Amino acid sequence: MKYIYIKTWGCQMNEYDSSMIITILQKKNKYSITQSAENADVLILNTCSIREKAQEKVFHQLGRWKKLKNKNTNIIIAVGGCVATQEGKEIFKRAHYVDIVFGTQTLHKLPEMINEVEKRKQFIIDISFPKLDKFKHYLKPKKKSCTASVSIMEGCNNYCSFCVVPYTRGNEVSRSCDELIFEISSLADQGVREINLLGQNVNSYQGLTFDGQICCFSELLRLVAEIDGIDRIRFITSNPLEFTDDIIQVYKDVPKLVSFLHLPVQSGSNKILQLMKRSYTVEQYELIIKKLIKARSNIQISSDFIVGFPGESDQDFQKTMDFINKINFDMSFSFIYSKRPGTPASKMTDNVSEKEKKQRLYILQKRINIQTMSWSRRMLGSIQTVLVEGISNKKNTELYGRTENNRIVNFKGSPEMIGNLIKLKIDQVHTHSLKGKII
């Protein structure tokens, strides 16, 4: 039995890819997962390249693993994910002790790659883009949790000027509708109650059906809602450019689609959006939100923001702050702009100092945190439907669950409630969680 240790950085897509790696290796009946790098025969680093200095982070980690390989030369080190696709052979040039470099679309080849290294003791690299081949090796997943993520597509065609994803994951390719329904149905049979549909831009999904027709994203949402056992549907991430009326209509028609949406806007300035090549305006974004509220009055919105983008003036930043107040965003993922290799924005003149970027980020996050707490306080005394996910991290005598709007609620309950939807009355509001009582 070979022991595998996987370290994962990045988004939910990376987490999903790592779960695929585990499933594919375990099916070979010769691999077992360990939680300790020191006990592993194979070390796998699944990387993310969205943020600045991602490459250096990778090499720092590899440097730590080099010490393990110095003690045991039979250890195999594999690097995958977006940095692997982006850097390719450069990884081996800087770290000769790395044995395998695999891409976001070639992770299914890992078992044969490992076998090849064991036989020939030579470096192997495959960062090609075989479309969706990896999903052919990932049927009937086993799931112990009541929540699960399912990747519905790979890649992106938008080529925003700051984003490296189209270069590391390729152009958009959608999985077939029938394959997705089969996978989600299998998860539902295992007790999964909440599904999270993943993709770089889920609302551009165009999957083939068994009869050769095209299933769009709104149709897929409706089909997933028909699956027995699936009580909640989420998705991430979508682009305002393609957030069409048929998707908004699903919010009106399908209660299983949660009243919480993550819709990245990135900036409240049309000038900056144009420089980012986002292809929509703040006015168009606001119109989408108005339509969503009309379809689902209690919907809450989270978003992404980049501060300090090349060309962002004080006035542009203020427009972003004004927009945050106007929409009343609930939560956000917000970052300082960082250059990504090979992107158009990396060639732009970065006119914002690091000090100013940090100050703007602080101001923005402080405002969002105030709004998040305001939204949470509105829930005090309310009755919430909560999906019970497990034992609380704070007290092992309590359970925890999640509301539709992504709040963690801790409460006293019995273990048989895990995996079920229950009603709780919210009686305490904390910064990062809520407390409730069963009614």
Side-chain angles (χ1 to χ4, degrees):
M1 183 67 70
K2 299 282 185 182
Y3 287 95
I4 307 289
Y5 175 80
I6 299 181
K7 192 172 189 67
T8 307
W9 291 328
C11 65
Q12 289 169 299
M13 293 289 287
N14 277 38
E15 295 287 349
Y16 184 81
D17 283 350
S18 288
S19 72
M20 291 182 70
I21 291 170
I22 291 170
T23 301
I24 289 165
L25 288 172
Q26 287 182 331
K27 281 183 179 179
K28 298 297 180 181
N29 295 321
K30 60 182 286 190
Y31 300 106
S32 181
I33 303 301
T34 177
Q35 301 303 313
S36 170
E38 288 74 17
N39 297 332
D41 300 293
V42 181
L43 298 166
I44 301 172
L45 183 58
N46 190 10
T47 65
C48 173
S49 63
I50 290 296
R51 307 312 311 152
E52 192 177 13
K53 298 180 181 177
Q55 300 96 312
E56 295 311 310
K57 186 179 178 183
V58 167
F59 289 112
H60 288 159
Q61 180 61 52
L62 292 177
R64 290 188 281 271
W65 283 357
K66 181 183 179 182
K67 296 175 183 177
L68 298 177
K69 189 154 185 172
N70 287 341
K71 295 178 182 178
N72 179 5
T73 57
N74 290 321
I75 287 176
I76 293 172
I77 298 178
V79 182
C82 293
V83 173
T85 304
Q86 180 181 294
E87 296 297 308
K89 289 183 180 178
E90 293 300 315
I91 291 175
F92 181 68
K93 287 180 181 178
R94 285 187 60 178
H96 294 289
Y97 47 91
V98 170
D99 301 284
I100 298 168
V101 173
F102 64 96
T104 55
Q105 306 301 325
T106 54
L107 57 85
H108 59 288
K109 297 183 180 181
L110 260 181
E112 61 188 71
M113 289 180 176
I114 293 171
N115 289 338
E116 192 68 20
V117 169
E118 288 174 336
K119 289 178 184 176
R120 302 192 182 187
K121 299 291 182 182
Q122 66 182 37
F123 171 71
I124 294 175
I125 180 170
D126 189 344
I127 52 174
S128 58
F129 288 91
K131 294 182 179 180
L132 302 179
D133 281 3
K134 68 182 183 183
F135 294 104
K136 298 174 184 176
H137 302 262
Y138 187 55
L139 299 177
K140 294 185 178 179
K142 293 181 180 179
K143 194 70 178 177
K144 296 179 181 179
S145 171
C146 58
T147 67
S149 296
V150 173
S151 178
I152 67 171
M153 61 188 299
E154 284 281 332
C156 184
N157 291 344
N158 289 327
Y159 287 87
C160 299
S161 66
F162 58 85
C163 187
V164 75
V165 166
Y167 308 99
T168 59
R169 286 192 175 266
N171 289 333
E172 288 175 1
V173 188
S174 297
R175 296 177 66 187
S176 79
C177 174
D178 305 296
E179 184 181 319
L180 291 172
I181 297 304
F182 173 81
E183 183 175 335
I184 296 168
S185 297
S186 297
L187 290 167
D189 290 341
Q190 296 173 62
V192 169
R193 293 293 168 259
E194 178 179 292
I195 217 76
N196 190 11
L197 305 178
L198 303 180
Q200 271 71 41
N201 183 18
V202 291
N203 45 351
S204 64
Y205 172 81
Q206 295 279 301
L208 280 175
T209 62
F210 70 93
D211 57 357
Q213 301 297 309
I214 295 292
C215 175
C216 66
F217 184 56
S218 61
E219 292 169 342
L220 178 66
L221 289 172
R222 293 177 185 275
L223 289 171
V224 173
E226 293 296 322
I227 297 174
D228 288 339
I230 298 299
D231 297 315
R232 278 186 180 172
I233 304 169
R234 302 182 188 272
F235 60 83
I236 192 169
T237 289
S238 50
N239 191 308
L241 182 64
E242 295 167 287
F243 210 96
T244 47
D245 288 347
D246 58 314
I247 299 173
I248 294 170
Q249 186 64 35
V250 180
Y251 281 91
K252 188 173 183 179
D253 300 339
V254 180
K256 288 184 178 182
L257 186 58
V258 298
S259 297
F260 187 86
L261 170 65
H262 184 75
L263 187 62
V265 65
Q266 305 299 358
S267 175
S269 164
N270 285 333
K271 183 192 88 177
I272 298 302
L273 289 177
Q274 188 174 14
L275 289 172
M276 289 178 170
K277 294 189 177 178
R278 290 295 283 179
S279 301
Y280 56 82
T281 64
V282 291
E283 290 79 16
Q284 289 170 326
Y285 185 99
E286 185 179 358
L287 181 59
I288 292 169
I289 302 304
K290 286 180 178 178
K291 289 180 179 179
L292 282 165
I293 292 172
K294 188 175 181 181
R296 186 79 67 88
S297 60
N298 62 333
I299 196 166
Q300 290 170 233
I301 310 295
S302 68
S303 196
D304 290 349
F305 297 95
I306 296 174
V307 300
F309 191 81
E312 183 185 73
S313 64
D314 291 339
Q315 185 180 15
D316 293 318
F317 177 68
Q318 187 57 50
K319 287 180 179 179
T320 297
M321 293 304 301
D322 293 342
F323 197 63
I324 286 171
N325 294 334
K326 187 175 187 179
I327 300 298
N328 195 16
F329 290 103
D330 181 5
M331 302 175 183
S332 81
F333 295 103
S334 47
F335 307 96
I336 290 172
Y337 167 75
S338 59
K339 291 183 179 181
R340 305 314 303 129
T343 61
S346 66
K347 299 173 185 177
M348 296 178 184
T349 301
D350 192 349
N351 64 313
V352 187
S353 70
E354 196 65 23
K355 181 180 178 181
E356 182 63 30
K357 289 176 183 178
K358 290 179 179 179
Q359 180 65 15
R360 289 176 185 177
L361 183 65
Y362 172 78
I363 292 169
L364 187 150
Q365 290 182 339
K366 184 178 180 181
R367 180 66 234 176
I368 290 287
N369 288 339
I370 290 171
Q371 292 180 188
T372 300
M373 197 62 187
S374 175
W375 279 106
S376 294
R377 288 195 183 106
R378 294 185 191 187
M379 299 172 71
L380 187 64
S382 68
I383 308 299
Q384 297 289 325
T385 301
V386 173
L387 178 60
V388 186
E389 296 187 20
I391 306 295
S392 172
N393 292 326
K394 295 188 175 182
K395 288 185 181 179
N396 57 15
T397 57
E398 292 183 340
L399 301 176
Y400 81 94
R402 196 177 301 270
T403 63
E404 274 201 39
N405 62 347
N406 238 10
R407 262 60 172 185
I408 295 292
V409 187
N410 296 295
F411 66 98
K412 290 182 179 180
S414 53
E416 61 266 20
M417 293 178 176
I418 295 173
N420 294 311
L421 289 164
I422 65 168
K423 298 284 187 182
L424 294 177
K425 183 174 183 178
I426 306 303
D427 58 6
Q428 292 182 39
V429 175
H430 303 293
T431 304
H432 300 295
S433 65
L434 307 172
K435 287 272 287 191
K437 290 181 179 179
I438 299 168
I439 59 169

